[in-house]
Amino acid sequence: MNFDNTKPILVFGGPYSNLQATQAMHHEAQRLCIAPSQIICTGDVVAYAANPEETTQNIRDWGIHVVAGNCEEQLAEGAKDCGCGFEEGSVCDLLSRAWYPFALSQISTASQAWMADLPKSLRFTYCGLDVHVLHGGREQTNRFIFGSEHAILEEESSAINADLVLAGHAGIPFVNRMKRATWVNAGVIGIPANDGTPDVWYALLEPAEDQQHAQVSLKRLSYDHVTAAAIMRKSGHANGYARSILTGIWPSHDVLPQAELDQTGKKLRQRTAKITATMKRVPEVA
Ligand SMILES: [Fe+2]
């Protein structure tokens, strides 16, 4: 797999069946002149929103790189639930009992076959950095890893042994420099980041001006969230996520660590961080 080192890479996660957000991301990539070969989706193309099949077809036709999320793994198998691992009876568990059967009922056999063929991870070199892309955790696709969970980030990044990890699943963007890697969660475009705004998030990885390292920027994306919420309500599986798309606050905070919970409703800021090669790389065992 080859990426052009002289051009940016656009990374986004979780389209979540949100066609309006996916179309907006597509238009933003065109505005930035970023080719599909330089775009990565970190998985969960299908989830809460109203257009699972249309969103999947949009992503497929776009021709970008996609790693499988837990939703793709489950839908490809025709499994009975989303595989998020929500605690039995929790709000997330109850909400998933509404959107997952709807998504499964809408998705085509061709899209299920496409999902079954998606890789679990990507590995490539960019601007001298060893880059690893995954959905949740290294061995557990549905592992929620948030920016405040430093011990888990150290454990995972040590095992992955790359300079840069690009991840998804958890839904709130962050950049954390760990001992063995810089961990970037690009955020998701399908629902807001629980920061009280309807905007969604993506990341731009690009060569720095000095050409000595790369940099990553976490970026907001505004889109037609009013239409997205209205279509969700019409779709027959209206649930707390339609309200979330309007308010920017998640319908449940079950999965959030205390630090992220305390940030609920507080507007996230866009930021840019330098990324350098990790000096403490563990040698590969032959
Ligand atoms: Fe996921």
Side-chain angles (χ1 to χ4, degrees):
M1 172 171 304
N2 289 317
F3 286 81
D4 186 336
N5 286 289
T6 66
K7 294 180 177 173
I9 295 177
L10 190 155
V11 188
F12 66 93
Y16 293 164
S17 309
N18 187 333
L19 183 60
Q20 289 69 39
T22 303
Q23 290 170 331
M25 187 75 269
H26 203 146
H27 291 149
E28 179 70 354
Q30 288 175 329
R31 187 184 72 79
L32 295 168
C33 299
I34 301 180
S37 58
Q38 294 283 116
I39 300 175
I40 298 168
C41 173
T42 60
D44 285 352
V45 173
V46 166
Y48 319 114
N51 297 106
E53 178 62 16
E54 296 87 343
T55 302
T56 304
Q57 286 186 14
N58 187 300
I59 296 284
R60 287 172 59 192
D61 293 346
W62 195 354
I64 63 176
H65 304 280
V66 183
V67 297
N70 50 290
C71 293
E72 282 75 63
E73 289 180 348
Q74 297 297 97
L75 287 164
E77 291 181 3
K80 64 178 176 41
D81 63 39
C82 64
C84 293
F86 297 136
E87 194 173 326
E88 179 85 17
S90 67
V91 174
C92 288
D93 177 45
L94 297 175
L95 289 170
S96 73
R97 292 183 199 181
W99 66 259
Y100 182 82
F102 172 82
L104 186 59
S105 74
Q106 299 288 308
I107 210 76
S108 68
T109 305
S111 288
Q112 283 180 299
W114 174 78
M115 290 175 181
D117 278 345
L118 293 174
K120 289 179 80 75
S121 63
L122 303 175
R123 191 91 177 202
F124 59 91
T125 301
Y126 181 75
C127 295
L129 300 171
D130 189 4
V131 184
H132 189 93
V133 185
L134 77 175
H135 180 68
R138 188 176 70 101
E139 293 186 338
Q140 186 186 335
T141 305
N142 68 352
R143 189 174 199 185
F144 286 102
I145 304 174
F146 292 95
S148 68
E149 298 181 299
H150 296 141
I152 294 173
L153 286 165
E154 291 289 16
E155 168 209 325
E156 288 271 353
S157 56
S158 295
I160 289 168
N161 198 26
D163 297 309
L164 172 63
V165 179
L166 301 172
H169 187 57
I172 298 178
F174 65 85
V175 179
N176 269 9
R177 173 74 196 217
M178 311 312 297
K179 288 178 187 158
R180 297 250 173 81
T182 298
W183 190 289
V184 175
N185 190 311
V188 294
I189 63 168
I191 62 169
N194 197 42
D195 76 337
T197 81
D199 294 342
V200 293
W201 289 79
Y202 69 96
L204 268 186
L205 177 65
E206 53 196 335
E209 283 183 16
D210 62 10
Q211 302 294 317
Q212 299 300 307
H213 57 269
Q215 64 184 38
V216 67
S217 302
L218 300 179
K219 313 276 273 186
R220 286 181 173 274
L221 177 68
S222 299
Y223 74 104
D224 186 1
H225 60 281
V226 174
T227 296
I231 293 175
M232 270 183 87
R233 287 183 168 138
K234 275 188 192 168
S235 72
H237 79 305
N239 54 48
Y241 291 107
R243 178 183 293 272
S244 178
I245 278 172
L246 296 172
T247 64
I249 304 293
W250 290 1
S252 164
H253 298 147
D254 292 345
V255 299
L256 288 179
Q258 190 61 48
E260 279 74 13
L261 186 60
D262 291 344
Q263 292 300 308
T264 297
K266 295 178 183 171
K267 188 174 179 179
L268 286 174
R269 64 183 178 88
Q270 300 187 117
R271 58 172 297 204
T272 298
K274 287 183 180 178
I275 301 170
T276 50
T278 307
M279 301 304 291
K280 297 179 179 176
R281 182 78 56 78
V282 177
E284 294 286 346
V285 176

